[in-house]
Amino acid sequence: MEFDQLTLRHVRLPLRESFTTSFGTVEERNLLVLEARVDGRWVYGETSPLSAPLYSHETVETAREVIAEYVAPALRQCDGIDDYHDRLASIRGHRMAKAAGDQLLYHRRSVATGESLASLLGGTHDSVTCGVSVGLTTPADVVDTVQGYLDDGFRRVKLKVEPGRDVSYVERVREAFPDVALTVDGNGAYSLDHADRLRALDNYDLTMIEQPLDYGDLVDHATLAATVETPICLDESIRNAADVRRAAEIDACEVINLKPQRVSGLREAKRIDDLCDRHDLGLWIGGLVESGIGASTAVAAASLGSVTFPADIGPSRRYFHEDLIEPPVRMTDGRIEIPETPGLLGTVDRDRLTETTVRQWSV
Ligand code: MG
């Protein structure tokens, strides 16, 4: 594929508020933006691993290396999205790095064909309902924190939990908000030894318990799912469509959290949507605190037909003082519209991209 210019940028965006999970606290978002100039137009892809290998094996540094060494050559040599992935098939893992190229190619195809990203995926939904992911806080603060997000318009609340910081939090929130759609996310911090704690959550009418057990596990999740009434959702355990099939075959979960970046991009996201349909699994789109570039991809994925639950996608102002796109991602009545127009949710502000770039490479 011909590109006049292919550049990788390390971008640093200050967060409006720090975010704490069982992985630790994040104050600023470091991410990589891959940009190309094609036929006089800019197209973009983003990858947003953490700075340390905590959510996945990947980091900003590993992604930078993999993009420079493997993703960029595959982009230059490929003749389309399937060929791009075929060329990278022998590279194990590093799916978030591969997702940057996948995003860029989908953006390119969208602007070249005049079709929206959602339309390229065969998406059927025209808006996405927004949920909020509430970082670990104190029991005294959790109700006020949740109230603030509900006042902002979010339609579903997800509490990050870990052993010992779980049931008491959920109890407080459920008591204060009897009707709110409520879920929890353990980010793999539990084991089967905590099964009683996790079963205790059955008393609070949760929509799902997300990734309670180890990221590499499906079998223990199947064991847990058989004894817990609340549906189990898998996030980190699902690396690709094959993992969805395996999870479905052993009843390891009823719901899949799909983050396009985690599964190497939109092409695999579409395959996962098909599998969820076939195996009657619930599906929703998770978030990675992406800039408006990555969020555009996540919003497009939310158009997929199997998506039935609110997403962890919010307006730009939830995370950033200023996003990379203009207009920023906006939420109205707790929803984000999925555009019918080609390209991203907004236009990348080139000045802002330059100002927030801390390093860049021609790749
Ligand atoms: Mg999660």
Side-chain angles (χ1 to χ4, degrees):
M1 205 153 266
E2 293 276 318
F3 299 108
D4 300 336
Q5 205 176 323
L6 192 56
T7 304
L8 183 62
R9 295 171 179 268
H10 174 177
V11 170
R12 187 171 291 156
L13 295 173
L15 290 173
R16 282 183 57 157
E17 53 188 71
S18 61
F19 188 73
T20 303
T21 69
S22 53
F23 303 135
T25 300
V26 183
E27 308 274 354
E28 59 183 15
R29 195 68 176 102
N30 286 274
L31 45 89
L32 296 172
V33 172
L34 189 57
E35 68 181 23
R37 189 116 174 113
V38 187
D39 301 332
R41 283 186 287 209
W42 290 104
V43 291
Y44 301 91
E46 171 178 341
T47 185
S48 332
L50 297 180
S51 297
L54 299 169
Y55 171 73
S56 81
H57 301 83
E58 297 183 74
T59 68
V60 171
E61 283 305 306
T62 66
R64 181 193 60 73
E65 184 176 336
V66 170
I67 289 170
E69 291 292 323
Y70 304 104
V71 167
L75 280 171
R76 290 192 181 281
Q77 289 157 14
C78 76
D79 63 16
I81 294 166
D82 285 335
D83 188 40
Y84 165 75
H85 284 287
D86 288 348
R87 287 173 184 276
L88 290 173
S90 60
I91 303 299
R92 296 188 182 191
H94 298 285
R95 293 179 179 83
M96 295 178 84
K98 292 172 183 173
D102 173 279
Q103 273 188 33
L104 182 139
L105 290 173
Y106 270 95
H107 187 192
R108 180 194 166 125
R109 185 179 286 183
S110 174
V111 296
T113 62
E115 277 195 74
S116 68
L117 288 169
S119 164
L120 291 178
L121 295 176
T124 55
H125 303 303
D126 57 12
S127 69
V128 50
T129 306
C130 301
V132 65
S133 179
V134 181
L136 288 164
T137 172
T138 65
D141 289 340
V142 69
V143 168
D144 285 349
T145 303
V146 168
Q147 182 68 63
Y149 289 128
L150 294 175
D151 291 345
D152 286 343
F154 288 100
R155 305 272 191 95
R156 184 270 286 135
V157 172
K158 173 168 114 179
L159 302 176
K160 293 285 188 181
V161 291
E162 62 182 21
R165 298 172 81 183
D166 40 31
V167 179
S168 58
Y169 288 71
V170 171
E171 187 170 34
R172 277 170 189 251
V173 172
R174 180 46 88 210
E175 214 169 87
F177 311 102
D179 300 322
V180 76
L182 186 62
T183 75
V184 294
D185 184 0
N187 285 116
Y190 294 80
S191 73
L192 285 179
D193 293 341
H194 301 107
D196 286 345
R197 274 204 102 75
L198 295 165
R199 265 192 294 277
L201 295 171
D202 282 341
N203 296 321
Y204 302 100
D205 190 25
L206 302 180
T207 315
M208 65 189 82
I209 300 172
E210 181 178 340
Q211 194 68 45
L213 309 181
D214 188 68
Y215 67 89
D217 170 76
L218 292 178
V219 174
D220 283 357
H221 277 106
T223 303
L224 180 70
T227 64
V228 176
E229 282 176 30
T230 310
I232 300 295
C233 167
L234 291 179
D235 173 352
E236 289 94 319
S237 291
I238 302 297
R239 302 162 299 173
N240 51 27
D243 283 339
V244 174
R245 176 184 62 74
R246 295 181 189 110
E249 284 182 2
I250 63 168
D251 294 325
C253 66
E254 292 179 43
V255 183
I256 301 291
N257 168 341
L258 170 60
K259 296 172 183 168
Q261 285 197 34
R262 194 189 66 233
V263 301
S264 77
L266 286 175
R267 189 187 71 152
E268 196 72 3
K270 172 65 179 160
R271 292 177 171 180
I272 287 174
D273 175 61
D274 292 342
L275 276 171
C276 286
D277 185 36
R278 194 179 315 156
H279 292 284
D280 204 19
L281 295 171
L283 183 66
W284 60 283
I285 308 302
L288 287 166
V289 191
E290 293 146 285
S291 85
I293 297 171
S296 297
T297 302
V299 164
S303 72
L304 291 166
S306 300
V307 170
T308 44
F309 298 104
D312 274 349
I313 308 171
S316 301
R317 64 177 163 72
R318 153 97 172 97
Y319 309 112
F320 307 114
H321 299 286
E322 288 187 316
D323 203 337
L324 294 177
I325 62 168
E326 199 60 51
V329 184
R330 290 203 178 106
M331 176 173 79
T332 308
D333 292 333
R335 306 177 82 84
I336 294 171
E337 258 183 63
I338 302 176
E340 292 174 15
T341 47
L344 308 177
L345 292 166
T347 305
V348 172
D349 183 322
R350 300 283 309 168
D351 291 337
R352 202 169 294 152
L353 183 61
T354 303
E355 285 161 17
T356 54
T357 296
V358 291
R359 300 180 294 170
Q360 71 180 69
W361 305 266
S362 185
V363 291

